[in-house]
Amino acid sequence: MRYGPTADWVEVTDGTKVDREEKTPLALLDIQQRIEGGTVTIYVDQAVRLDSPQALTGAGTSSLLWLPDKGNLTVHRVEILRGEETIDVLAGDARYSVLRRETNLEQRALDGMLTATMPVPGLRIGDILRISYTQTLKDETLKGNAQQVSPLLMEPFEASFGRIILSWPSDEEVRWKAGPDRIDAHEEMKGKYQFVSVELPLPKREDLPGDAPTRVTRGPIFQAGTFANWREVSQVFAPLYTVEDTVTPGGSLAAEIERIKSQTDDPLGQAALATELVQNKISYLLNGMAGGNYRPQAPEETWKTRYGDCKAKSLLLLAILDGLGIEAEPVLVSARAGDAVPDTLPMPAAFDHVIVRATIGGVSYWLDGTSAGTRLASIADTPDFRFYLPISTDGADLQEIEPRVPSVPSIDLDIVLDQRGGVDLPTIADVTARFSGPMASQYDAIFKQASAEQLEDFYDNFASSQFRGANVIVGDFAYDEASGIATVHYSSIFTSPWQADGERKRQRLTSLPSSNINFNADRSRPAWREIPVNLGGPTLEKYDLTVRLPEGEPGYLLRGKAQTDLEYAGRRVVRTVELGGNVLTAHERHESTGGELRAAEIPAAKARAQRLKNSAPFLTAPANAARSWEYGKSALRKRLKPLEEAYQVVIDRDPDEARPYLNRASFRFGTTDFKGALTDYTKAIELDPVAENYTARADTRYSLGDLEGAIADARKAFEVSPSADFAMYLARLLGENGDSDEAMALIEEFDDYGENHENFVHTRADILAYAGRADEGLADIDALIEERPGQAYLYNASCWYRARFSVGFDQMIDVCNRAVSQGSSAAAALDSRALAWLRLGEPDKALADANAAVALVPQLRQARYLRAFIQRELGDRSAASDLSYLSRTFPGMSKEYAQYGLEP
């Protein structure tokens, strides 16, 4: 590192021209580059405005980086611009300290850079810190060639003055390019040098579609280099990858080659074993020191140290393949911007990775020593690098990788859904997910290092990503070294996926990806109409689904298109679904060679994707399928045993957590086991005594007919959280129990006439009715209707109130009719009107409404209960069994309806 003046060719910006007033982060950004005689010289003059404590902290220590094996760093100035004053920091004792700081160790990289740091003394908020320096770069491995790539700043980034200049002798062949967008550049001759300049920052780029190829979306860059073509780039690296005499005879590496030979005579099998050896036995470490950015370390050194970067691993693999008699060559690729390589200048910087192309039986095999999970079954898979440049003494042109559908699925998912409990009950899922390739190795590493708690979180997250709200019952993991397959297995329990569909229920088979196809590439903007869609790399995925339906419950139907073989956007989907007896089986295969989709092909691809989604198969349940309200019957309760066992396992995993108890309590409540739910809510309250848990137990006690117990829990909830909602809940129960004074006091205290006012009015009306003042309560409800006419739910509230408390009969049917005709909750309105017709002595009309309500919402047990009373009124003897079952199973509902005069 040096201190000194700038070179004569640099056009130094006069300090008086630095804008000290404009409020931009950069007052100056001046980058001047010269390529001459294989050396790149970069002059940087930067002035940063310190307008905040954060900016002051960030700039308080200046840091400069450079590669000492490729050139020098010369510091020209460190100045503080304060008002009209210019303070020369280097005039005093302040100097940079040189140290080695490996900034990318977490990525296993030793880049060879040196770092010079200096705490800048005396900086204040409002100062401008100006630093200028020059770096030189000359890479001997490039054999006299030079290259430079610089990112170009773009709005909304701001700079008072910014530019980048490139110059070179007019008698040297230097090529430059700026892009990917059209960029205004000024070219001119000055003496014997050619100059190109670009003003910074560039105008803000127009928005681009996120699914565009990298060559379109990559940030703007300025490239310059002396390579005439790709063949020169290919040739310059060839001497670095010579494998002749790189393996010591009789050494341990030679013995490893002989071991591979002893395992198989098949060249393809040998290549797979060689690749697996390099992937598994050599850890990744980039050694960029001592010219190592492009120069790989020797195979014997890599084998001895057991680490290396992509260059070292590829050279080691080449040496092993050479020892096995397998034809192979190193190739340059870009892992970050593969499709953009043809749009760049011919230069090594266009690539960031080296792999090996082996040719066996006339077929190319792409072997990456830094990847993981390569096995004989998957060795034919092609990577998503798009383009490659062979490294050859004769030189080679840029070539395109011909993609192939992978031989082994990257994910092979097998899902078994146990729904034998019934359409209203939770589902038990047994899931086996098999992963191959790099993902399998990543999972293996994760599971080997994870703690028990981390593993639980992993299974929970994995299950939740597939089934919303899933609770894991058990999980396990296995990795098969021979096949390179990682297997994640778990079972979980989650809410029923069946959805209401009139009297029946329907289940979309969402575990099949074709049910969720969503291809929405957008090229509607004029500027986008020629931009293709990036489809990614080659993929293969397999999905198997089994759904076990309730036994002895015929009538389940498979709908949608069971057999499909359709391609959209380069992706082929093959689907087969069958329903036999009470078991559905489905198989899907998704395969793609990746690549790109032309913009003109997008509409047709969207149409095919929509066809695939619209034809997705689904199940419909029979109208007489067992529903949750029926599980009080002994014949159905045996269905609950597997679910009870599953919930118990979940509880045993976290016995000190309230959530598993709450989940089982909800399940038990929904299947009429109110006593079991009461036990679970009690335990949950012990572990987490929040107000919501008390009200849940209060609901359970109410359902058991224990009004006093419900009131006790409601009081506790109100004590824990004395809010309007819990006050209203307690007041409703108190009113039903005849404690109208206390109930009314709560209403008066907490009704703030805000957004909860309507609910308070309804609660107050019920309290008045239980106190024998139903006329007053009805008047309050009808006053709400006058305030907000046309609201169907208010008409329904009035209808239901009149029918329950036998008040306001003169207008009751008119009000009920409005509720039915205007309401979105038709079943509730029909149920209300059914009771109104019964009160008016019109049981036939009441039965029609009750039947309609049950047809709309079969699980509406209140409507079923009311229907049984109506049927009894009409002399239907079958009503007795329904009344007996419902009143016995739902004692709280029976006690409530008895208050309305409906005794079973």
Side-chain angles (χ1 to χ4, degrees):
M1 180 179 176
R2 306 168 181 171
Y3 298 87
T6 58
D8 293 339
W9 57 268
V10 174
E11 300 176 5
V12 179
T13 301
D14 191 321
T16 61
K17 295 181 180 179
V18 176
D19 192 325
R20 306 190 182 203
E21 300 299 328
E22 189 176 351
K23 302 302 182 182
T24 58
L26 275 179
L28 172 68
L29 178 61
D30 189 7
I31 302 172
Q32 301 180 41
Q33 303 172 346
R34 172 158 289 186
I35 296 178
E36 187 170 9
T39 298
V40 179
T41 305
I42 306 168
Y43 167 79
V44 178
D45 189 2
Q46 179 174 292
V48 180
R49 196 179 307 277
L50 310 179
D51 55 1
S52 68
Q54 293 78 12
L56 184 65
T57 301
T61 299
S62 172
S63 296
L64 305 178
L65 301 149
W66 83 102
L67 291 165
D69 60 310
K70 294 182 175 61
N72 293 313
L73 171 68
T74 302
V75 177
H76 308 306
R77 83 174 75 224
V78 178
E79 295 177 344
I80 299 173
L81 311 184
R82 182 176 298 152
E84 298 299 321
E85 183 183 6
T86 299
I87 303 170
D88 185 352
V89 175
L90 297 179
D93 296 331
R95 290 292 184 272
Y96 283 89
S97 298
V98 179
L99 53 93
R100 179 179 300 284
R101 183 183 65 184
E102 299 302 340
T103 58
N104 295 307
L105 277 178
E106 64 276 9
Q107 281 83 39
R108 299 281 291 168
L110 295 168
D111 54 22
M113 281 192 173
L114 290 185
T115 304
T117 65
M118 179 179 67
V120 182
L123 280 177
R124 305 175 189 174
I125 293 178
D127 287 347
I128 295 174
L129 176 62
R130 183 182 182 186
I131 299 174
S132 62
Y133 58 90
T134 297
Q135 287 179 307
T136 58
L137 292 168
K138 185 178 181 64
D139 197 323
E140 298 298 335
T141 60
L142 301 185
K143 303 300 182 183
N145 284 289
Q147 62 176 349
Q148 177 62 15
V149 179
S150 300
L152 298 176
L153 292 179
M154 183 171 49
E155 294 177 346
F157 193 88
E158 296 178 316
S160 299
F161 175 83
R163 68 179 178 181
I164 184 168
I165 299 174
L166 171 69
S167 63
W168 65 93
S170 57
D171 59 355
E172 291 191 20
E173 287 291 332
V174 174
R175 294 161 184 83
W176 68 272
K177 189 174 186 178
D181 304 316
R182 183 183 179 278
I183 295 173
D184 292 331
H186 176 67
E187 295 186 75
E188 62 177 326
M189 283 286 296
K190 295 182 179 180
K192 296 181 180 180
Y193 287 86
Q194 181 77 25
F195 283 77
V196 179
S197 61
V198 176
E199 293 185 6
L200 300 177
L202 300 176
K204 183 180 180 181
R205 172 186 276 177
E206 295 293 330
D207 290 338
L208 291 168
D211 55 9
T214 304
R215 66 179 179 277
V216 177
T217 60
R218 64 189 174 96
I221 57 174
F222 189 93
Q223 301 172 290
T226 61
F227 288 92
N229 50 49
W230 292 114
R231 301 186 72 83
E232 285 191 5
V233 178
S234 170
Q235 288 175 312
V236 80
F237 288 110
L240 305 178
Y241 288 89
T242 301
V243 295
E244 185 178 356
D245 298 328
T246 57
V247 178
T248 304
S252 62
L253 180 55
E256 200 66 34
I257 295 173
E258 293 303 315
R259 184 187 67 80
I260 292 175
K261 288 180 180 179
S262 69
Q263 289 185 270
T264 177
D265 295 329
D266 175 25
L268 197 57
Q270 291 178 347
L273 289 172
T275 306
E276 182 183 350
L277 175 72
V278 175
Q279 288 178 350
N280 293 352
K281 299 297 184 182
I282 307 299
S283 66
Y284 183 86
L285 177 67
L286 168 63
N287 187 351
M289 297 183 287
N293 283 359
Y294 288 129
R295 185 181 301 277
Q297 64 191 25
E300 286 286 1
E301 182 182 353
T302 302
W303 182 248
K304 178 182 177 182
T305 60
R306 297 300 174 99
Y307 62 73
D309 57 16
C310 64
K311 304 182 297 295
K313 284 194 167 204
S314 291
L315 186 55
L316 174 61
L317 182 54
L318 285 165
I320 295 172
L321 293 174
D322 181 67
L324 295 169
I326 295 173
E327 180 185 349
E329 65 177 351
V331 299
L332 297 169
V333 296
S334 176
R336 288 176 292 184
D339 68 90
V341 172
D343 287 350
T344 65
L345 288 177
M347 59 171 57
F351 307 99
D352 58 15
H353 196 37
V354 183
I355 62 172
V356 173
R357 182 173 75 97
T359 303
I360 303 172
V363 178
S364 294
Y365 295 90
W366 308 92
L367 312 179
D368 188 345
T370 65
S371 186
T374 299
R375 299 294 187 274
L376 178 59
S378 61
I379 195 172
D381 294 354
T382 49
D384 185 25
F385 297 136
R386 303 288 180 91
F387 294 91
Y388 71 99
L389 181 68
I391 295 175
S392 169
T393 54
D394 296 329
D397 290 321
L398 197 64
Q399 299 179 42
E400 190 168 0
I401 296 175
E402 183 178 350
R404 296 187 285 257
V405 173
S407 306
V408 179
S410 59
I411 180 169
D412 187 347
L413 196 61
D414 189 350
I415 299 175
V416 179
L417 301 181
D418 187 349
Q419 299 178 352
R420 289 175 293 179
V423 296
D424 284 349
L425 271 60
T427 292
I428 297 176
D430 188 86
V431 178
T432 302
R434 302 174 189 87
F435 301 94
S436 67
M439 188 177 295
S441 297
Q442 291 172 13
Y443 275 126
D444 184 38
I446 289 171
F447 276 82
K448 283 178 178 177
Q449 299 173 13
S451 64
E453 184 178 352
Q454 289 172 328
L455 289 178
E456 281 195 15
D457 290 342
F458 173 86
Y459 289 120
D460 287 338
N461 293 333
F462 200 94
S464 296
S465 69
Q466 292 177 307
F467 310 107
R468 181 175 296 180
N471 290 279
V472 172
I473 302 169
V474 65
D476 57 77
F477 174 82
Y479 181 74
D480 182 57
E481 190 69 42
S483 65
I485 299 294
T487 302
V488 177
H489 170 262
Y490 73 89
S491 59
S492 67
I493 187 168
F494 63 97
T495 305
S496 171
W498 289 88
Q499 301 294 320
D501 187 22
E503 293 187 47
R504 298 174 180 267
K505 297 198 86 173
R506 170 192 291 218
Q507 179 183 184
R508 293 179 60 240
L509 304 179
T510 55
S511 295
L512 298 177
S514 64
S515 297
N516 306 295
I517 293 297
N518 190 22
F519 181 66
N520 289 323
D522 178 15
R523 296 296 185 271
S524 59
R525 303 185 189 184
W528 294 3
R529 288 178 183 169
E530 300 301 321
I531 299 177
V533 178
N534 182 12
L535 302 177
T539 58
L540 174 63
E541 300 167 358
K542 288 176 62 181
Y543 302 87
D544 290 280
L545 172 67
T546 301
V547 182
R548 295 175 180 165
L549 300 167
E551 298 173 354
E553 197 171 87
Y556 286 86
L557 300 174
L558 175 62
R559 293 289 183 259
K561 194 171 183 179
Q563 310 292 326
T564 293
D565 188 341
L566 187 67
E567 183 178 328
Y568 76 97
R571 188 177 185 89
R572 183 187 177 196
V573 179
V574 181
R575 178 180 68 213
T576 302
V577 186
E578 296 179 355
L579 177 61
N582 71 317
V583 178
L584 175 139
T585 55
H587 309 277
E588 274 194 6
R589 176 186 172 96
H590 293 238
E591 61 180 50
S592 172
T593 54
E596 295 180 3
L597 181 72
R598 292 187 302 111
E601 297 175 305
I602 290 175
K606 282 185 176 181
R608 285 193 293 270
Q610 195 60 47
R611 278 180 54 200
L612 185 62
K613 186 174 183 178
N614 291 344
S615 68
F618 60 92
L619 283 167
T620 62
N624 63 348
R627 307 306 297 270
S628 59
W629 62 272
E630 298 180 275
Y631 280 81
K633 300 173 183 177
S634 58
L636 290 175
R637 292 214 66 82
K638 62 181 181 181
R639 291 189 182 185
L640 305 181
K641 184 178 179 181
L643 293 160
E644 283 281 352
E645 292 173 348
Y647 278 114
Q648 186 60 54
V649 173
V650 174
I651 287 172
D652 290 342
R653 282 180 58 207
D654 296 300
D656 296 326
E657 292 291 329
R659 179 53 53 188
Y661 293 99
L662 293 171
N663 289 334
R664 186 172 67 179
S666 178
F667 159 71
R668 286 175 166 178
F669 188 97
T671 54
T672 75
D673 181 11
F674 299 120
K675 291 182 179 178
L678 184 64
T679 300
D680 281 341
Y681 280 128
T682 299
K683 183 63 177 179
I685 287 171
E686 290 178 14
L687 297 170
D688 188 18
V690 296
E692 290 78 7
N693 291 347
Y694 279 107
T695 55
R697 189 170 70 177
D699 286 341
T700 306
R701 284 179 163 159
Y702 186 90
S703 297
L704 285 166
D706 180 10
L707 181 57
E708 290 186 0
I711 290 173
D713 276 339
R715 285 190 188 280
K716 191 64 179 177
F718 180 66
E719 290 175 12
V720 173
S721 179
S723 64
D725 288 337
F726 294 114
M728 194 181 340
Y729 183 82
L730 175 58
R732 181 180 66 78
L733 294 177
L734 288 169
E736 187 173 342
N737 197 47
D739 301 323
S740 57
D741 289 343
E742 184 181 356
M744 292 298 286
L746 285 169
I747 297 296
E748 294 299 325
E749 180 180 355
F750 283 90
D751 184 4
D752 56 5
Y753 289 82
E755 58 185 35
N756 281 330
H757 175 62
E758 285 187 4
N759 293 327
F760 275 109
V761 170
H762 294 308
T763 303
R764 181 176 184 275
D766 277 7
I767 296 168
L768 290 170
Y770 287 125
R773 300 159 60 188
D775 287 334
E776 296 178 46
L778 179 59
D780 288 343
I781 292 174
D782 288 346
L784 285 177
I785 295 177
E786 290 182 14
E787 291 177 19
R788 303 193 62 195
Q791 299 297 321
Y793 70 94
L794 291 177
Y795 287 117
N796 181 49
S798 181
C799 173
W800 181 237
Y801 189 89
R802 292 166 189 263
R804 281 188 300 154
F805 299 114
S806 300
V807 64
F809 280 11
D810 54 334
Q811 298 180 21
M812 183 164 60
I813 290 302
D814 179 58
V815 171
C816 293
N817 287 340
R818 291 194 180 192
V820 172
S821 63
Q822 298 179 20
S824 57
S825 301
L830 287 166
D831 180 42
S832 298
R833 193 171 68 179
L835 181 55
W837 284 123
L838 184 62
R839 293 294 195 207
L840 294 174
E842 298 276 4
D844 291 323
K845 294 178 180 179
L847 183 60
D849 278 348
N851 282 334
V854 170
L856 286 172
V857 184
Q859 69 269 30
L860 191 61
R861 65 175 184 266
Q862 291 88 345
R864 290 181 178 274
Y865 194 44
L866 177 58
R867 184 174 66 175
F869 283 108
I870 298 168
Q871 289 170 328
R872 185 176 68 180
E873 182 75 13
L874 290 169
D876 186 343
R877 294 184 179 181
S878 65
S881 61
D882 285 345
L883 284 173
S884 175
Y885 170 75
L886 290 167
S887 61
R888 181 180 68 255
T889 307
F890 303 97
M893 182 178 69
S894 178
K895 286 183 67 174
E896 178 186 351
Y897 276 62
Q899 295 181 86
Y900 311 147
L902 299 175
E903 296 278 358

